Amino acid sequence: MADRQLARLRLYQLVSPALPVGAFSYSEGLEVLVQAGQVTSEQAMEDWLSAELRRGGVAIEAAALAPLMAFMRAWKDGEPQAEQELRSLDQWLLVQRESAELRAQQRQMGRSLLQLLADLGWPLPRAGTLLAWPAAYAWACAVLELDSPEVEEAYLYSWVANQLSAAVRLVPLGPTQAQRLQLRLAPLLAQRAQELASMDPGQQWNGGVGAGLAQLRHAELYSRLFRS
C-alpha cells in the first residue's frame, strides 16, 4: 500500500465519529444559542459555522497544529527546548477558551486521545505529560506521519461535523439538511485549511465573541443536553 494512501486511511480514523474521545457530548455553546433563539434554521447554522471557521477559536487551534507537530518531532529528536515550547503552546491554546466548561472539554478529549494511543501501542509523550485536545490531536498526527494541510483540513472538518451532529438534536436540523450544509461548507473548509497551515497562531485574533459568551452561559442553563 502506498504511503500516501496509508496516511489518508489513518487520517480517516482520526475524523471518524467512532473515535472514543467523547466529542459527541459537547455543543461548545450551540445549545445556548438555540435556546436563546439565535440559531434556529439551516441558514443561521451555516452563518454561525462560517463565522467560526473564519475568525473563531477553532481557526487559531488549526493554525497551531503545524508548529505543535514541529515541536513534537524536534522533541523526539532530542532537541532540549522543544518540550518546553510544546507545553507553552499547549497552555496558550487552552487559555484562549474563556469558559471553564470548554477548558475541561479540551483536557478531557486530549486525555482520552492519548489514552487511545497508549491502548493501540503507539508512542506517547513523556510519562505524565497531559495535553489538551489540539496538542493531543497534533501528537496523534505526528505519530501517524500525517502532515499539512490535510491535518488542518481534518481538524476543521471534524469540528464542523460535530457541531452539525449537535444541531440535528438542537435546532432541530434534519440529517439531510446537515449533510447539505457539510457539502456547502467544503470549499471554505479547504480554503481555511490551506491558509491556516502556514499561519502563525500567535498572529491570529479570535472574533468569536458570541461563541465565548454562549459558552460561558451554558453552565447557567436550567435544562441541557450537552456538557458545554
Side-chain angles (χ1 to χ4, degrees):
M1 183 181 293
D3 289 345
R4 188 169 182 81
Q5 183 182 7
L6 181 59
R8 187 169 65 247
L9 291 172
R10 287 170 169 171
L11 193 60
Y12 292 162
Q13 189 167 354
L14 277 181
V15 300
S16 169
L19 192 73
V21 295
F24 67 90
S25 63
Y26 301 103
S27 81
E28 300 193 20
L30 181 61
E31 189 167 16
V32 169
L33 296 170
V34 172
Q35 288 198 26
Q38 294 177 267
V39 177
T40 58
S41 67
E42 180 179 342
Q43 185 58 58
M45 190 66 195
E46 182 174 2
D47 292 344
W48 172 255
L49 292 173
S50 297
E52 287 300 294
L53 288 169
R54 288 190 171 95
R55 282 301 176 191
V58 69
I60 295 177
E61 291 171 1
L65 295 176
L68 282 168
M69 288 192 294
F71 293 149
M72 289 164 185
R73 288 165 180 152
W75 182 10
K76 289 169 66 178
D77 290 341
E79 293 189 21
Q81 294 301 314
E83 180 182 357
Q84 183 56 44
E85 290 170 332
L86 168 62
R87 291 176 185 274
S88 177
L89 182 51
D90 173 51
Q91 289 300 305
W92 181 81
L93 288 169
L94 192 59
V95 299
Q96 300 305 306
R97 296 296 193 169
E98 297 95 337
S99 78
E101 283 188 355
L102 260 290
R103 292 192 294 272
Q105 171 187 336
Q106 299 286 64
R107 293 189 187 98
Q108 178 270 303
M109 289 176 60
R111 185 170 60 250
S112 295
L113 183 54
L114 292 180
Q115 182 60 57
L116 175 63
L117 294 180
D119 292 343
L120 294 174
W122 285 329
L124 291 175
R126 189 190 309 277
T129 299
L130 299 178
L131 300 174
W133 172 243
Y137 189 94
W139 185 277
C141 289
V143 167
L144 296 174
E145 299 178 353
L146 305 173
D147 215 337
S148 299
E150 290 81 8
V151 164
E152 290 79 7
E153 195 171 85
Y155 191 87
L156 296 175
Y157 179 94
S158 62
W159 179 82
V160 168
N162 191 64
Q163 287 283 285
L164 288 174
S165 175
V168 168
R169 288 168 278 176
L170 290 170
V171 173
L173 197 71
T176 301
Q177 289 176 297
Q179 290 302 305
R180 185 163 52 221
L181 257 180
Q182 187 90 54
L183 284 171
R184 282 209 302 271
L185 288 168
L188 178 58
L189 283 169
Q191 174 193 332
R192 293 300 286 147
Q194 192 72 42
E195 293 168 349
L196 294 167
S198 58
M199 287 183 175
D200 178 355
Q203 297 300 312
Q204 307 307 301
W205 54 272
N206 184 350
V209 177
L213 290 173
Q215 290 156 10
L216 287 166
R217 289 174 54 201
H218 187 266
E220 302 171 358
L221 290 181
Y222 176 76
S223 175
R224 49 187 176 171
L225 295 175
F226 293 88
R227 297 172 64 185
S228 72

Short mmCIF file of all heavy atoms in Angstrom, two decimals, residues 80-132:
data_model
loop_
_atom_site.label_atom_id
_atom_site.label_comp_id
_atom_site.label_asym_id
_atom_site.label_seq_id
_atom_site.Cartn_x
_atom_site.Cartn_y
_atom_site.Cartn_z
N PRO A 80 16.50 20.05 23.18
CA PRO A 80 16.15 20.31 24.58
C PRO A 80 15.02 21.31 24.78
O PRO A 80 14.27 21.22 25.75
CB PRO A 80 17.45 20.82 25.19
CG PRO A 80 18.25 21.31 24.03
CD PRO A 80 17.89 20.43 22.88
N GLN A 81 14.89 22.31 23.91
CA GLN A 81 13.87 23.34 24.10
C GLN A 81 12.50 22.95 23.55
O GLN A 81 11.50 23.60 23.85
CB GLN A 81 14.32 24.64 23.42
CG GLN A 81 15.54 25.28 24.06
CD GLN A 81 15.28 25.62 25.53
OE1 GLN A 81 14.25 26.16 25.88
NE2 GLN A 81 16.25 25.29 26.38
N ALA A 82 12.44 21.89 22.78
CA ALA A 82 11.19 21.55 22.07
C ALA A 82 10.06 21.21 23.04
O ALA A 82 8.91 21.60 22.83
CB ALA A 82 11.44 20.40 21.11
N GLU A 83 10.38 20.47 24.11
CA GLU A 83 9.33 20.09 25.06
C GLU A 83 8.71 21.32 25.71
O GLU A 83 7.49 21.42 25.85
CB GLU A 83 9.87 19.14 26.13
CG GLU A 83 8.82 18.72 27.14
CD GLU A 83 9.36 17.81 28.23
OE1 GLU A 83 10.55 17.45 28.19
OE2 GLU A 83 8.56 17.45 29.12
N GLN A 84 9.54 22.27 26.13
CA GLN A 84 9.03 23.47 26.77
C GLN A 84 8.19 24.29 25.80
O GLN A 84 7.14 24.84 26.18
CB GLN A 84 10.19 24.33 27.29
CG GLN A 84 9.76 25.58 28.03
CD GLN A 84 8.83 25.29 29.19
OE1 GLN A 84 9.07 24.35 29.96
NE2 GLN A 84 7.77 26.07 29.31
N GLU A 85 8.62 24.37 24.54
CA GLU A 85 7.86 25.11 23.54
C GLU A 85 6.52 24.45 23.28
O GLU A 85 5.49 25.12 23.12
CB GLU A 85 8.67 25.22 22.25
CG GLU A 85 9.87 26.15 22.38
CD GLU A 85 10.80 26.07 21.20
OE1 GLU A 85 10.85 25.00 20.55
OE2 GLU A 85 11.47 27.06 20.91
N LEU A 86 6.52 23.12 23.26
CA LEU A 86 5.27 22.38 23.08
C LEU A 86 4.32 22.65 24.24
O LEU A 86 3.14 22.96 24.02
CB LEU A 86 5.58 20.88 22.99
CG LEU A 86 4.38 19.93 23.08
CD1 LEU A 86 3.42 20.15 21.94
CD2 LEU A 86 4.86 18.48 23.13
N ARG A 87 4.80 22.54 25.46
CA ARG A 87 3.94 22.76 26.63
C ARG A 87 3.42 24.19 26.66
O ARG A 87 2.27 24.44 27.03
CB ARG A 87 4.72 22.44 27.91
CG ARG A 87 5.04 20.96 28.10
CD ARG A 87 5.89 20.79 29.36
NE ARG A 87 6.33 19.43 29.56
CZ ARG A 87 5.61 18.49 30.18
NH1 ARG A 87 4.41 18.78 30.64
NH2 ARG A 87 6.11 17.27 30.34
N SER A 88 4.26 25.14 26.30
CA SER A 88 3.88 26.54 26.32
C SER A 88 2.75 26.81 25.33
O SER A 88 1.76 27.49 25.66
CB SER A 88 5.09 27.41 26.00
OG SER A 88 4.73 28.78 25.96
N LEU A 89 2.88 26.29 24.11
CA LEU A 89 1.84 26.49 23.10
C LEU A 89 0.56 25.76 23.49
O LEU A 89 -0.55 26.28 23.30
CB LEU A 89 2.34 26.02 21.74
CG LEU A 89 1.38 26.21 20.56
CD1 LEU A 89 0.86 27.64 20.48
CD2 LEU A 89 2.06 25.81 19.25
N ASP A 90 0.69 24.58 24.08
CA ASP A 90 -0.48 23.83 24.55
C ASP A 90 -1.26 24.65 25.58
O ASP A 90 -2.48 24.78 25.50
CB ASP A 90 0.00 22.51 25.16
CG ASP A 90 -1.12 21.72 25.82
OD1 ASP A 90 -2.17 21.50 25.19
OD2 ASP A 90 -0.94 21.32 26.99
N GLN A 91 -0.56 25.23 26.55
CA GLN A 91 -1.22 26.01 27.58
C GLN A 91 -1.78 27.32 27.03
O GLN A 91 -2.86 27.77 27.44
CB GLN A 91 -0.24 26.30 28.73
CG GLN A 91 0.10 25.08 29.55
CD GLN A 91 -1.14 24.48 30.20
OE1 GLN A 91 -1.89 25.16 30.91
NE2 GLN A 91 -1.38 23.20 29.94
N TRP A 92 -1.07 27.92 26.09
CA TRP A 92 -1.56 29.16 25.46
C TRP A 92 -2.88 28.91 24.75
O TRP A 92 -3.82 29.72 24.84
CB TRP A 92 -0.51 29.69 24.50
CG TRP A 92 -0.91 30.97 23.82
CD1 TRP A 92 -0.84 32.23 24.33
CD2 TRP A 92 -1.45 31.10 22.50
NE1 TRP A 92 -1.30 33.15 23.41
CE2 TRP A 92 -1.68 32.49 22.29
CE3 TRP A 92 -1.75 30.20 21.48
CZ2 TRP A 92 -2.20 32.98 21.09
CZ3 TRP A 92 -2.28 30.69 20.29
CH2 TRP A 92 -2.50 32.06 20.10
N LEU A 93 -2.97 27.80 24.03
CA LEU A 93 -4.22 27.46 23.34
C LEU A 93 -5.35 27.23 24.34
O LEU A 93 -6.49 27.63 24.10
CB LEU A 93 -4.02 26.21 22.48
CG LEU A 93 -3.19 26.39 21.22
CD1 LEU A 93 -2.86 25.03 20.61
CD2 LEU A 93 -3.91 27.26 20.19
N LEU A 94 -5.03 26.59 25.44
CA LEU A 94 -6.06 26.29 26.43
C LEU A 94 -6.66 27.56 27.02
O LEU A 94 -7.88 27.65 27.20
CB LEU A 94 -5.47 25.41 27.53
CG LEU A 94 -6.46 24.76 28.50
CD1 LEU A 94 -7.45 23.86 27.77
CD2 LEU A 94 -5.71 23.96 29.56
N VAL A 95 -5.82 28.55 27.29
CA VAL A 95 -6.36 29.77 27.91
C VAL A 95 -7.09 30.65 26.90
O VAL A 95 -7.74 31.63 27.30
CB VAL A 95 -5.25 30.58 28.62
CG1 VAL A 95 -4.61 29.78 29.73
CG2 VAL A 95 -4.20 31.11 27.64
N GLN A 96 -7.02 30.34 25.61
CA GLN A 96 -7.81 31.07 24.63
C GLN A 96 -9.30 30.78 24.80
O GLN A 96 -10.15 31.54 24.35
CB GLN A 96 -7.39 30.70 23.21
CG GLN A 96 -5.95 30.98 22.86
CD GLN A 96 -5.56 32.42 23.09
OE1 GLN A 96 -6.21 33.34 22.59
NE2 GLN A 96 -4.51 32.63 23.87
N ARG A 97 -9.61 29.65 25.45
CA ARG A 97 -11.01 29.27 25.67
C ARG A 97 -11.49 29.89 26.97
O ARG A 97 -10.99 29.57 28.05
CB ARG A 97 -11.12 27.74 25.71
CG ARG A 97 -10.76 27.07 24.40
CD ARG A 97 -11.72 27.47 23.30
NE ARG A 97 -11.59 26.63 22.12
CZ ARG A 97 -12.45 26.63 21.11
NH1 ARG A 97 -13.48 27.45 21.15
NH2 ARG A 97 -12.27 25.84 20.07
N GLU A 98 -12.49 30.77 26.87
CA GLU A 98 -12.88 31.57 28.02
C GLU A 98 -13.59 30.78 29.12
O GLU A 98 -13.44 31.10 30.30
CB GLU A 98 -13.81 32.72 27.58
CG GLU A 98 -13.18 33.72 26.62
CD GLU A 98 -13.47 33.38 25.17
OE1 GLU A 98 -13.76 32.21 24.87
OE2 GLU A 98 -13.39 34.30 24.34
N SER A 99 -14.38 29.79 28.77
CA SER A 99 -15.22 29.13 29.77
C SER A 99 -14.53 27.92 30.39
O SER A 99 -13.76 27.21 29.73
CB SER A 99 -16.55 28.70 29.16
OG SER A 99 -16.40 27.52 28.40
N ALA A 100 -14.84 27.68 31.66
CA ALA A 100 -14.29 26.52 32.35
C ALA A 100 -14.76 25.22 31.70
O ALA A 100 -14.02 24.24 31.64
CB ALA A 100 -14.71 26.55 33.82
N GLU A 101 -16.00 25.22 31.20
CA GLU A 101 -16.53 24.02 30.53
C GLU A 101 -15.70 23.67 29.29
O GLU A 101 -15.41 22.51 29.04
CB GLU A 101 -17.99 24.24 30.12
CG GLU A 101 -18.97 24.12 31.27
CD GLU A 101 -20.42 24.15 30.80
OE1 GLU A 101 -20.65 24.35 29.59
OE2 GLU A 101 -21.31 23.96 31.63
N LEU A 102 -15.35 24.68 28.49
CA LEU A 102 -14.57 24.42 27.29
C LEU A 102 -13.16 23.96 27.62
O LEU A 102 -12.61 23.08 26.95
CB LEU A 102 -14.52 25.68 26.40
CG LEU A 102 -15.47 25.69 25.22
CD1 LEU A 102 -15.06 24.70 24.16
CD2 LEU A 102 -16.90 25.45 25.66
N ARG A 103 -12.57 24.54 28.66
CA ARG A 103 -11.23 24.10 29.05
C ARG A 103 -11.28 22.66 29.57
O ARG A 103 -10.38 21.86 29.27
CB ARG A 103 -10.65 25.04 30.11
CG ARG A 103 -10.36 26.44 29.56
CD ARG A 103 -9.52 27.26 30.53
NE ARG A 103 -10.23 27.56 31.76
CZ ARG A 103 -11.02 28.61 31.93
NH1 ARG A 103 -11.24 29.46 30.93
NH2 ARG A 103 -11.63 28.82 33.10
N ALA A 104 -12.33 22.32 30.31
CA ALA A 104 -12.49 20.94 30.77
C ALA A 104 -12.69 19.99 29.59
O ALA A 104 -12.17 18.87 29.58
CB ALA A 104 -13.67 20.84 31.73
N GLN A 105 -13.44 20.46 28.59
CA GLN A 105 -13.63 19.65 27.38
C GLN A 105 -12.30 19.37 26.68
O GLN A 105 -12.01 18.23 26.30
CB GLN A 105 -14.57 20.38 26.42
CG GLN A 105 -14.67 19.73 25.04
CD GLN A 105 -15.48 20.57 24.06
OE1 GLN A 105 -16.30 21.38 24.45
NE2 GLN A 105 -15.25 20.37 22.77
N GLN A 106 -11.50 20.42 26.52
CA GLN A 106 -10.21 20.27 25.84
C GLN A 106 -9.30 19.29 26.59
O GLN A 106 -8.62 18.47 25.97
CB GLN A 106 -9.53 21.64 25.72
CG GLN A 106 -10.28 22.67 24.92
CD GLN A 106 -10.22 22.41 23.42
OE1 GLN A 106 -10.71 21.42 22.94
NE2 GLN A 106 -9.61 23.31 22.70
N ARG A 107 -9.30 19.39 27.91
CA ARG A 107 -8.46 18.48 28.71
C ARG A 107 -8.97 17.04 28.61
O ARG A 107 -8.18 16.11 28.45
CB ARG A 107 -8.45 18.93 30.18
CG ARG A 107 -7.74 20.25 30.44
CD ARG A 107 -7.59 20.48 31.94
NE ARG A 107 -7.07 21.79 32.25
CZ ARG A 107 -7.83 22.83 32.60
NH1 ARG A 107 -9.14 22.70 32.70
NH2 ARG A 107 -7.29 24.00 32.88
N GLN A 108 -10.29 16.86 28.73
CA GLN A 108 -10.86 15.50 28.70
C GLN A 108 -10.61 14.84 27.35
O GLN A 108 -10.20 13.67 27.28
CB GLN A 108 -12.35 15.56 29.00
CG GLN A 108 -13.07 14.21 28.96
CD GLN A 108 -13.60 13.88 27.57
OE1 GLN A 108 -14.38 14.65 27.00
NE2 GLN A 108 -13.18 12.75 27.00
N MET A 109 -10.86 15.55 26.26
CA MET A 109 -10.67 14.96 24.93
C MET A 109 -9.20 14.67 24.65
O MET A 109 -8.86 13.65 24.05
CB MET A 109 -11.27 15.88 23.87
CG MET A 109 -12.79 15.92 23.90
SD MET A 109 -13.52 17.08 22.72
CE MET A 109 -12.92 16.44 21.14
N GLY A 110 -8.31 15.56 25.10
CA GLY A 110 -6.89 15.31 24.93
C GLY A 110 -6.44 14.09 25.71
O GLY A 110 -5.69 13.24 25.19
N ARG A 111 -6.90 13.98 26.96
CA ARG A 111 -6.55 12.81 27.78
C ARG A 111 -7.08 11.52 27.17
O ARG A 111 -6.37 10.51 27.13
CB ARG A 111 -7.14 13.02 29.18
CG ARG A 111 -6.76 11.94 30.19
CD ARG A 111 -7.17 12.35 31.60
NE ARG A 111 -8.61 12.55 31.71
CZ ARG A 111 -9.20 13.73 31.88
NH1 ARG A 111 -8.49 14.84 31.94
NH2 ARG A 111 -10.52 13.82 31.99
N SER A 112 -8.30 11.56 26.64
CA SER A 112 -8.89 10.36 26.03
C SER A 112 -8.13 9.94 24.78
O SER A 112 -7.94 8.74 24.53
CB SER A 112 -10.36 10.62 25.70
OG SER A 112 -11.12 10.83 26.87
N LEU A 113 -7.69 10.91 23.99
CA LEU A 113 -6.96 10.57 22.78
C LEU A 113 -5.60 9.97 23.11
O LEU A 113 -5.17 8.98 22.49
CB LEU A 113 -6.79 11.80 21.89
CG LEU A 113 -6.09 11.57 20.55
CD1 LEU A 113 -6.76 10.45 19.74
CD2 LEU A 113 -6.04 12.85 19.73
N LEU A 114 -4.90 10.53 24.09
CA LEU A 114 -3.61 9.96 24.49
C LEU A 114 -3.78 8.56 25.06
O LEU A 114 -2.95 7.67 24.81
CB LEU A 114 -2.93 10.87 25.51
CG LEU A 114 -2.44 12.24 25.00
CD1 LEU A 114 -1.79 13.02 26.12
CD2 LEU A 114 -1.49 12.09 23.82
N GLN A 115 -4.88 8.34 25.79
CA GLN A 115 -5.15 7.00 26.31
C GLN A 115 -5.39 6.02 25.17
O GLN A 115 -4.93 4.87 25.21
CB GLN A 115 -6.37 7.02 27.24
CG GLN A 115 -6.70 5.67 27.88
CD GLN A 115 -5.56 5.15 28.72
OE1 GLN A 115 -5.11 5.83 29.65
NE2 GLN A 115 -5.08 3.94 28.42
N LEU A 116 -6.10 6.48 24.15
CA LEU A 116 -6.34 5.62 22.98
C LEU A 116 -5.02 5.27 22.30
O LEU A 116 -4.80 4.11 21.92
CB LEU A 116 -7.26 6.34 21.99
CG LEU A 116 -7.51 5.61 20.66
CD1 LEU A 116 -8.22 4.28 20.89
CD2 LEU A 116 -8.31 6.50 19.71
N LEU A 117 -4.15 6.25 22.14
CA LEU A 117 -2.84 5.96 21.53
C LEU A 117 -2.08 4.93 22.35
O LEU A 117 -1.45 4.02 21.78
CB LEU A 117 -2.03 7.25 21.41
CG LEU A 117 -2.55 8.33 20.45
CD1 LEU A 117 -1.62 9.53 20.47
CD2 LEU A 117 -2.69 7.79 19.04
N ALA A 118 -2.14 5.06 23.66
CA ALA A 118 -1.45 4.09 24.53
C ALA A 118 -2.04 2.70 24.34
O ALA A 118 -1.31 1.71 24.24
CB ALA A 118 -1.56 4.53 25.99
N ASP A 119 -3.37 2.62 24.29
CA ASP A 119 -4.04 1.33 24.14
C ASP A 119 -3.71 0.68 22.79
O ASP A 119 -3.71 -0.55 22.67
CB ASP A 119 -5.55 1.49 24.28
CG ASP A 119 -5.98 1.87 25.68
OD1 ASP A 119 -5.15 1.69 26.62
OD2 ASP A 119 -7.11 2.36 25.86
N LEU A 120 -3.44 1.52 21.79
CA LEU A 120 -3.11 1.00 20.46
C LEU A 120 -1.62 0.70 20.31
O LEU A 120 -1.18 0.23 19.26
CB LEU A 120 -3.55 2.00 19.38
CG LEU A 120 -5.07 2.20 19.25
CD1 LEU A 120 -5.37 3.31 18.26
CD2 LEU A 120 -5.76 0.91 18.83
N GLY A 121 -0.85 1.01 21.36
CA GLY A 121 0.58 0.72 21.33
C GLY A 121 1.42 1.73 20.58
O GLY A 121 2.55 1.43 20.19
N TRP A 122 0.91 2.95 20.42
CA TRP A 122 1.66 3.98 19.72
C TRP A 122 2.44 4.84 20.70
O TRP A 122 2.09 4.92 21.88
CB TRP A 122 0.72 4.85 18.89
CG TRP A 122 0.24 4.15 17.65
CD1 TRP A 122 0.91 3.20 16.92
CD2 TRP A 122 -1.03 4.30 17.01
NE1 TRP A 122 0.14 2.78 15.87
CE2 TRP A 122 -1.04 3.44 15.90
CE3 TRP A 122 -2.15 5.09 17.27
CZ2 TRP A 122 -2.14 3.34 15.04
CZ3 TRP A 122 -3.24 5.00 16.40
CH2 TRP A 122 -3.23 4.14 15.31
N PRO A 123 3.50 5.51 20.24
CA PRO A 123 4.34 6.30 21.15
C PRO A 123 3.56 7.43 21.80
O PRO A 123 2.67 8.03 21.20
CB PRO A 123 5.44 6.85 20.22
CG PRO A 123 5.43 5.95 19.04
CD PRO A 123 4.03 5.49 18.86
N LEU A 124 3.94 7.73 23.03
CA LEU A 124 3.31 8.79 23.80
C LEU A 124 4.33 9.83 24.22
O LEU A 124 5.54 9.56 24.19
CB LEU A 124 2.64 8.21 25.05
CG LEU A 124 1.41 7.34 24.84
CD1 LEU A 124 0.96 6.77 26.18
CD2 LEU A 124 0.29 8.14 24.21
N PRO A 125 3.87 11.03 24.63
CA PRO A 125 4.81 11.99 25.23
C PRO A 125 5.41 11.39 26.51
O PRO A 125 5.03 10.30 26.93
CB PRO A 125 3.92 13.20 25.55
CG PRO A 125 2.66 13.00 24.77
CD PRO A 125 2.49 11.52 24.59
N ARG A 126 6.29 12.13 27.13
CA ARG A 126 6.90 11.70 28.38
C ARG A 126 5.83 11.29 29.39
O ARG A 126 4.75 11.88 29.45
CB ARG A 126 7.75 12.83 28.95
CG ARG A 126 8.62 12.44 30.14
CD ARG A 126 9.22 13.69 30.77
NE ARG A 126 9.88 14.54 29.80
CZ ARG A 126 11.13 14.35 29.36
NH1 ARG A 126 11.82 13.31 29.80
NH2 ARG A 126 11.66 15.19 28.49
N ALA A 127 6.10 10.27 30.17
CA ALA A 127 5.14 9.78 31.16
C ALA A 127 4.62 10.91 32.03
O ALA A 127 5.39 11.72 32.54
CB ALA A 127 5.78 8.70 32.03
N GLY A 128 3.31 10.97 32.17
CA GLY A 128 2.70 12.00 32.99
C GLY A 128 2.38 13.29 32.25
O GLY A 128 1.75 14.18 32.81
N THR A 129 2.80 13.41 30.98
CA THR A 129 2.51 14.61 30.21
C THR A 129 1.03 14.64 29.82
O THR A 129 0.53 13.69 29.23
CB THR A 129 3.37 14.67 28.93
OG1 THR A 129 4.74 14.71 29.29
CG2 THR A 129 3.04 15.91 28.11
N LEU A 130 0.35 15.71 30.17
CA LEU A 130 -1.05 15.89 29.81
C LEU A 130 -1.15 16.98 28.75
O LEU A 130 -0.57 18.06 28.93
CB LEU A 130 -1.88 16.27 31.04
CG LEU A 130 -1.91 15.23 32.17
CD1 LEU A 130 -2.72 15.76 33.35
CD2 LEU A 130 -2.49 13.91 31.68
N LEU A 131 -1.84 16.70 27.68
CA LEU A 131 -2.01 17.68 26.61
C LEU A 131 -3.49 17.90 26.36
O LEU A 131 -4.29 16.97 26.41
CB LEU A 131 -1.35 17.16 25.32
CG LEU A 131 0.14 16.88 25.36
CD1 LEU A 131 0.60 16.25 24.05
CD2 LEU A 131 0.93 18.16 25.64
N ALA A 132 -3.87 19.15 26.09
CA ALA A 132 -5.25 19.45 25.73
C ALA A 132 -5.51 18.96 24.30
O ALA A 132 -4.58 18.53 23.59
CB ALA A 132 -5.52 20.94 25.87
#
